[in-house]
Amino acid sequence: QVQLVESGGGEVQPGGSLRLSCAGSGPTLDYYTVGWFRQVPGKAREREGVAISTTDDNTIYADSVKGRFTIARNKGEDTFDLQMNSLKPEDTAVYYCVAVFGVPPLRQGVTEYLFDNWGPGTQVTVSS
């Protein structure tokens, strides 16, 4: 199992930017599909997959963040980032970094049940 820890959350005004980072410890993340999920406390039962990066460098984004968010691996450092631009109030949520060994069956949809390694989460608040 790989252990994950997020950093970089905070509060920003609409239209602003934030960069989240996730650090892994244990096995190298080079062989893991990694990504970010988010959850609005009290408003959603399931966590929404925001951005995914597979071991062969394919990326998948939720429609709600396409063109605004970018996931990037820092290979050799066992970290990966989520650059979030043009933030909107509806992006407010707890963001979790995730990982799973290999490449899960993503063609069936990006769901939280495909990932078995989770960080504790970091709060992102977009508010004026």
Side-chain angles (χ1 to χ4, degrees):
Q1 292 284 350
V2 61
Q3 294 182 331
L4 304 172
V5 178
E6 305 92 346
S7 61
E11 185 168 352
V12 65
Q13 292 185 343
S17 298
L18 277 177
R19 178 185 290 266
L20 304 182
S21 293
C22 182
S25 60
T28 175
L29 291 177
D30 289 353
Y31 303 111
Y32 284 72
T33 291
V34 300
W36 295 88
F37 278 69
R38 66 186 180 186
Q39 186 173 32
V40 179
K43 290 190 176 182
R45 291 180 57 187
E46 292 189 357
R47 298 165 182 169
E48 176 191 16
V50 174
I52 303 297
S53 172
T54 65
T55 55
D56 52 358
D57 293 328
N58 288 319
T59 55
I60 301 172
Y61 294 95
D63 289 342
S64 58
V65 307
K66 281 181 181 177
R68 300 188 299 121
F69 289 13
T70 303
I71 186 171
R73 293 174 176 264
N74 303 307
K75 292 187 176 180
E77 298 180 5
D78 280 340
T79 63
F80 57 98
D81 301 332
L82 183 67
Q83 178 66 42
M84 304 185 294
N85 298 328
S86 303
L87 282 161
K88 305 175 182 180
E90 51 263 44
D91 294 318
T92 295
V94 177
Y95 284 71
Y96 301 88
C97 62
V98 300
V100 64
F101 186 81
V103 182
L106 296 169
R107 289 185 177 182
Q108 301 175 8
V110 177
T111 73
E112 60 181 301
Y113 307 107
L114 296 175
F115 296 86
D116 56 0
N117 297 279
W118 288 73
T122 186
Q123 176 71 44
V124 171
T125 302
V126 185
S127 174
S128 55

